[in-house]
Amino acid sequence: MLATVSLAIGNACAAGLPLTSWPICRAALSLYSTSRIDGDAYMGTENDGNWPKGCYYCDDVPGCADGVWFNEHSSGAANGDASIICSEDLEP
């Protein structure tokens, strides 16, 4: 069975759990291939309290380069239309 991956605007998942490491974020990208997001969309890691915690996606969000980011900040924050990437079954 394939894992379920979803996007939620903000800093909290509507379903599933936030992704807590870059390797798990990368695994999610391989499962969530769409015309907007693919495995080559990774932009880098950061530690910034102004963006969602963990794995998140930007698409035409002011102040954020389009693509997938991994934020190591301990709490993070919702920022515009940046979407946290969540999964119900990728986290251990």
Side-chain angles (χ1 to χ4, degrees):
M1 179 173 120
L2 285 178
T4 303
V5 177
S6 62
L7 297 178
I9 292 176
N11 196 39
C13 294
L17 299 169
L19 306 180
T20 59
S21 71
W22 166 238
I24 293 173
C25 182
R26 180 74 178 178
L29 293 181
S30 69
L31 297 172
Y32 196 84
S33 293
T34 70
S35 59
R36 297 184 309 149
I37 304 174
D38 63 30
D40 295 326
Y42 178 60
M43 300 302 293
T45 60
E46 63 186 359
N47 190 329
D48 189 333
N50 296 313
W51 294 98
K53 177 183 176 181
C55 190
Y56 73 93
Y57 174 68
C58 287
D59 183 23
D60 290 330
V61 176
C64 184
D66 289 353
V68 174
W69 295 86
F70 189 80
N71 188 3
E72 297 173 339
H73 193 269
S74 62
S75 59
N79 192 322
D81 287 335
S83 300
I84 191 168
I85 301 176
C86 309
S87 177
E88 295 183 23
D89 35 23
L90 279 178
E91 287 290 329

